[in-house]
Amino acid sequence: MADLRVKIGSLELKNPVMTASGTFGYGKEFEDFINLEDLGGIIVKGTTLNHREGNAYPRMVETPSGMLNCVGLQNKGVDYFCNHIYPDIKDINTNMIVNVSGSTVEDYVATAERINELDKIPAIELNISCPNVKSGGMAFGVTCEGASEVVKAVRKVYKKTLIVKLSPNVTDIASIAKAVEASGADSVSLINTLMGMVIDIEKRIPMLSINTGGLSGPAIRPVAVRMVWQVAKAVKIPVVGLGGIVNAHDAIEFFMAGASAIEIGTANFIDPAVSIKVKNGINDWLDAHGCKSLLEIVGSLKDY
Amino acid sequence: MKKYILDLRVVENSSPHPRYALLKLTHDSKLPEMLPGQFAEIRIDGSKNTFLRRPISINYVDYERNEVWFLIAKVGEGTKTLAKVQSGEIVNVILPLGNGFTLPLSPKQKILLVGGGVGIAPLLYFGKCIKEIGAEPTFLLGAKSASDLLELDQFHELGSVYTTTEDGSMGEKGFVTQHSILNQIRFDRISACGPKPMMISVARYAKAEGIECEVSLENKMACGVGACLCCVENTTEGHKCVCKDGPVFNINDLLWQI
């Protein structure tokens, strides 16, 4: 049994496997399938200051080895989260992390401030990379200035572990990561979805209601591994890797590329118990390779 | 209700029609309780272009034989691949999912079950459950042609069956909402499953007549458990997940133009 514990800033994870925001609800949706407390963390659905209905249907289309979505941050707002959802999930004995999104810097700050008051939420994942909302979201994550501005403002009010989720829809993700690090982030997670499009050629219209959507699933994994590798070399803060992980082999690629922890996203839709299988598989691989601790393989990649 | 991920074994795969497959699946242990109108998310193995599971409604549950049936319409690569499974092979399913149809409050209630095309599938098990509480279900089943009307023998065992076909090859010619039975019997509730245009016209009829009506939707779905929020339908209370809050909705809760 290898030591799977890792730290993300001051956040202690019993193992490096978390579930990605928007793919795991608030955790409870999956409690029939796994023991939620066996996870290193659960990152709950993107939460905004005010209620959002999200985008119109259709919001999803299947693609080769993945899917495109344009849900658009449907959620009932931070007050509803604090009053109705938090009481229900606060006693799950793992790291319950809230993904925070917004349209303006003020929105992000106000939402983070509210979450900061919740004892059992040890961290937030600041989403500056949602491609499916008109204002804010990814707009902050595609420039160093925008990313810095929102991270600095949130850092002032948010006292616990601050993870910033980066967009892959940029020219140079390492420079954004550095800007985020310099602005006070404790960690970066990457990648969010890649912007994509699918067309119904008979109707000559896009398959999604806002024309484009975010691509996820194994289709994006090599892009994610490459970006984690670039970012891990560029920053000193811990990197959380995600993008198309479906098994332990995939996860180990991310660790070797420099990720200290990983998130499982779209794979939860195909196998709701996959996260625990990945966790167990990581342990088995480490045991089989004589590694006493996960830390032995983080960033262990030798360039070709 | 607790949801399960189960490896079910194929007992029989029959083709009642070139465009359909009827899968009868069993499990080593006792199958969990399932409600009529609920569905399963079925994993598609061996199809390189299929990534997500396919939501398929529960066609029938035979607890004595420990079998659950799925009627598969061969629509795309995923369902065509699923339709090829052989006896003895394993099919991985997540079930039971969703809410299900409303059962009659008393045996005296007259419930009309309206199905179109493969939308007849969940009505067979629903009819069985209605019969079990002492009521008699009435089925009104529509299709393009006589050969598209499936499982008629089983429907006849459970209640009265009326049919329409677009080409007139069986039952009354036309659409379900034109069938003469609607002028002869006053139903207390209508439960419908089928193509959206059919359900809209059933809903329009029910609303005009002041009859309670519910419909089963099939929006494109990813997770099946209310996590991804992809399959939403517009309702009087905002976007609701068809997979978790549905698939069955009262027509008064939908924002359909009826």
Side-chain angles (χ1 to χ4, degrees), chain A residues 32 53 57 59 62 270, chain B residues 51-54 220 239:
Chain A
D32 285 347
E53 267 304 306
Y57 179 86
R59 292 176 167 187
E62 189 178 38
I270 291 96
Chain B
F51 178 65
L52 297 167
R53 287 174 182 260
R54 292 294 182 265
K220 270 194 193 168
H239 281 136

Side-chain angles (χ1 to χ4, degrees), chain A residues 22-25 28-33 45 53-69 71 74-75 207 216-218 246 266-273, chain B residues 1-5 41 43 48-54 78 92 94-95 97 196 218-235 237-241 244:
Chain A
T23 68
F24 209 67
K28 290 270 178 181
E29 291 85 343
F30 289 77
E31 66 185 354
D32 285 347
F33 308 116
K45 177 70 190 160
E53 267 304 306
N55 294 318
Y57 179 86
R59 292 176 167 187
M60 188 278 294
V61 58
E62 189 178 38
T63 63
S65 292
M67 59 179 268
L68 214 53
N69 89 83
V71 171
Q74 179 180 327
N75 79 103
M207 296 285 275
S216 63
V246 302
T266 304
N268 292 309
F269 303 157
I270 291 96
D271 180 1
Chain B
M1 286 175 82
K2 186 171 161 63
K3 307 174 191 76
Y4 298 84
I5 309 172
E41 279 269 43
R43 197 178 69 203
K48 68 182 169 68
N49 292 311
T50 306
F51 178 65
L52 297 167
R53 287 174 182 260
R54 292 294 182 265
N92 184 273
I94 305 172
L95 58 71
L97 302 174
K196 196 165 178 186
E218 54 166 3
N219 293 7
K220 270 194 193 168
M221 202 173 277
C223 73
V225 296
C228 69
L229 313 185
C230 288
C231 63
V232 291
E233 180 72 19
N234 245 334
T235 74
E237 291 174 46
H239 281 136
K240 292 257 188 185
C241 285
K244 189 181 179 189

Side-chain angles (χ1 to χ4, degrees), chain B residues 149-185:
Chain B
L149 284 164
L150 306 175
E151 301 185 314
L152 283 178
D153 291 346
Q154 288 96 327
F155 280 112
H156 277 290
E157 283 173 24
L158 298 170
S160 316
V161 181
Y162 301 89
T163 58
T164 61
T165 49
E166 290 173 36
D167 64 2
S169 54
M170 186 183 279
E172 294 185 13
K173 185 175 178 175
F175 295 109
V176 283
T177 41
Q178 298 165 329
H179 198 283
S180 58
I181 188 68
L182 297 175
N183 302 321
Q184 295 161 27
I185 301 178

